Amino acid sequence: MATLKDLSKKKELLTGGHRACAGCGATIVARQVMLASDKPIVVVAATGCLEVTTTIFPYSAWNVPFLHNAFENAAATLSGVTAAYEALKKKGKIKDDINFVAFGGDGGTYDIGLQSLSGAMERGHNLLYVCYNNQAYMNTGVQRSSATARAAHTTTEPAGKVKPGKDRFPKDLTGIMAAHNIPYVGQSVIGMVNNDLIKKAEKAFSINGPKFLNVFQPCRLGWAYKPEETLELGRLAADTCIWPLYEVVDGVWKLTYKPREKKPVTDFMFKQERFRHLKKPENKHIIDEIQNEVDRRWEELRKRCGDM
Amino acid sequence: MSKKLGWKELPFGDSIKAGTAEQFETGDWRSLKPIWYADRCIHCMRCWINCPDSSIEVKDGKMTGIDLKHCKGCGICAFECPVKKPGKAITMEAER
């Protein structure tokens, strides 16, 4: 990977002045992924925080060609863009090599855009899909998604007398994408000191074919924590193995980060108000349940990666 | 019923210039203001790579200042700054 000093000499592709929250992680994801590209870049975004906050009419924060279509079809739209590009290239009307990226939130990727994403991956377009996963529909007011953490408070599955937040565990989308047998699938997070996300994005851009990156992105609005802790929470998610970092290259699973000491899930959870209700003694069994599930998934992943 | 338009006759939807959000100032959202101490800075770029508002100004691989027109005062730069002695190169101060 190029050093941060070298990267800082590149042109800024996402300007300030967009209307994301102070301390938003989604724009950090977008900046870091775009910096990893050494070719011109074309971006498509699904409806979601990133799209809404960066493209309020008549302003656009993108210094790259940018296209937004609808919530469910970022991957399909980008498929069309790459097909048009390839046709024009064949005719000699475009000569440049271009990287194509789609950004979708967990709502637009795990739930609403899953079929168009699956289709694009199966058809084998040369594109990178990046899911910035903040575990709920933050843009519309923190509604539950299938990526939402167990027992997290959301406005559609609130913690209260009836039940303590979400009663299901999030689904494993990275695993679903790996099952498409595409050349590159990666799971990353913002905040790692070794710049894990930039490294994975660089690797993805160097590979021809469909690529998928699932990036864990702390959200200060929906998770309710202090805005400066965005990256600290990212690191804690990796250190507690709630969000393990790994990649699947041509079907070979590999861990890219192993915490020196695996921290208890409460280190990550109790920094956030969305898990506040779990501090009550009567909810202790839910913490145990979450810890067991995180441990089980971590051991399963280690087996897959040949780490034990 | 009139004849339907083909894709070549359809009116163009809309297209706007790139990077114009720069003209929109979000600096007045701020309640905390980052203060940069140039003499303490080691130019590691950790604040720059992690700034959500692209508000750390850099030139030739060195930090040159903070763009207060767009900075929303989240404090990520100060939190991530690795400098320990004699203190962080960026600190947050209440905005007056």
Side-chain angles (χ1 to χ4, degrees):
Chain A
M1 189 194 111
T3 61
L4 290 185
K5 263 194 173 44
D6 291 336
L7 288 180
S8 75
K9 290 172 188 163
K10 283 187 168 182
K11 192 187 169 200
E12 185 64 62
L13 298 180
L14 188 78
T15 71
H18 55 72
R19 266 74 105 213
C21 305
C24 175
T27 49
I28 304 178
V29 174
R31 280 188 69 214
Q32 296 195 355
V33 168
M34 290 198 294
L35 275 170
S37 169
D38 53 354
K39 293 176 194 157
I41 201 165
V42 171
V43 173
V44 167
T47 306
C49 276
L50 186 66
E51 175 265 325
V52 167
T53 56
T54 53
T55 58
I56 295 177
F57 188 80
Y59 299 98
S60 165
W62 301 85
N63 263 329
V64 293
F66 173 90
L67 185 64
H68 166 246
N69 189 349
F71 214 141
E72 69 282 9
N73 56 12
T77 306
L78 191 60
S79 305
V81 175
T82 57
Y85 162 76
E86 261 143 42
L88 288 169
K89 204 171 183 190
K90 216 180 253 175
K91 289 182 186 168
K93 289 186 179 172
I94 296 182
K95 297 216 165 60
D96 294 347
D97 285 330
I98 300 176
N99 282 329
F100 295 91
V101 187
F103 289 105
D106 55 294
T109 309
Y110 276 69
D111 296 351
I112 303 178
L114 185 60
Q115 63 84 12
S116 84
L117 172 63
S118 177
M121 294 292 143
E122 189 273 329
R123 288 190 301 270
H125 299 280
N126 183 20
L127 56 84
L128 167 65
Y129 192 103
V130 179
C131 171
Y132 61 98
N133 174 7
N134 48 32
Q135 298 205 318
Y137 290 82
M138 300 308 182
N139 164 42
T140 45
V142 201
Q143 289 89 7
R144 162 208 200 277
S145 81
S146 60
T148 305
R150 166 89 172 101
H153 171 91
T154 52
T155 49
T156 44
E157 211 169 348
K161 278 181 194 146
V162 180
K163 63 178 188 177
K166 192 185 177 189
D167 56 10
R168 308 280 305 162
F169 284 96
K171 74 182 175 200
D172 176 15
L173 183 70
T174 321
I176 296 173
M177 296 327 290
H180 283 65
N181 289 313
I182 54 179
Y184 187 86
V185 174
Q187 186 157 290
S188 187
V189 70
I190 49 171
M192 300 307 287
V193 181
N194 67 355
N195 296 306
D196 187 82
L197 175 57
I198 303 180
K199 279 183 190 160
K200 284 190 177 136
E202 265 182 3
K203 193 166 194 177
F205 283 133
S206 72
I207 294 170
N208 194 26
K211 285 93 57 179
F212 177 80
L213 261 178
N214 198 353
V215 187
F216 202 60
Q217 178 246 309
C219 166
R220 52 100 21 130
L221 174 83
W223 298 12
Y225 59 84
K226 292 182 202 139
E228 68 269 23
E229 286 177 350
T230 298
L231 303 157
E232 177 68 11
L233 277 164
R235 289 188 285 268
L236 279 171
D239 280 339
T240 52
C241 297
I242 285 177
W243 194 256
L245 308 184
Y246 63 94
E247 57 190 11
V248 188
V249 186
D250 291 323
V252 180
W253 293 62
K254 191 185 156 211
L255 278 181
T256 54
Y257 176 71
K258 233 178 117 179
R260 214 171 281 169
E261 187 195 350
K262 189 161 164 281
K263 292 180 177 163
V265 289
T266 46
D267 283 16
F268 169 77
M269 293 164 79
F270 286 172
K271 274 186 177 287
Q272 308 162 42
E273 292 290 299
R274 64 173 176 157
F275 293 118
R276 175 175 60 183
H277 51 283
L278 297 184
K279 287 178 185 164
K280 290 180 192 159
E282 67 264 33
N283 285 332
K284 173 82 174 63
H285 69 280
I286 300 171
I287 298 273
D288 296 339
E289 190 195 325
I290 293 170
Q291 183 70 61
N292 287 340
E293 180 66 13
V294 166
D295 290 349
R296 190 191 67 77
R297 290 191 184 192
W298 171 241
E299 293 307 316
E300 197 183 282
L301 179 68
R302 281 180 65 196
K303 261 182 219 155
R304 263 186 183 165
C305 295
D307 188 54
M308 55 194 293
Chain B
M1 212 176 113
S2 59
K3 190 183 162 283
K4 279 185 184 166
L5 295 174
W7 69 272
K8 281 179 184 165
E9 293 100 55
L10 279 174
F12 190 67
D14 194 22
S15 173
I16 59 172
K17 274 195 174 159
T20 48
E22 200 142 34
Q23 296 158 25
F24 191 93
E25 296 184 5
T26 46
D28 52 359
W29 293 20
R30 202 166 52 232
S31 58
L32 291 172
K33 182 178 171 181
I35 310 286
W36 176 54
Y37 301 93
D39 52 330
R40 295 180 190 169
C41 184
I42 56 169
H43 305 283
C44 65
M45 300 290 149
R46 290 204 48 77
C47 54
W48 168 79
I49 194 70
N50 289 316
C51 177
D53 293 294
S54 320
S55 292
I56 305 291
E57 293 169 337
V58 289
K59 209 190 164 194
D60 301 327
K62 298 235 172 190
M63 181 175 173
T64 55
I66 297 168
D67 168 14
L68 291 174
K69 277 186 179 159
H70 298 110
C71 167
K72 292 167 189 155
C74 65
I76 285 182
C77 50
F79 190 89
E80 295 296 317
C81 182
V83 182
K84 289 203 178 83
K85 275 179 192 173
K88 287 187 182 264
I90 301 178
T91 56
M92 301 305 284
E93 225 171 63
E95 187 83 56
R96 266 167 289 174

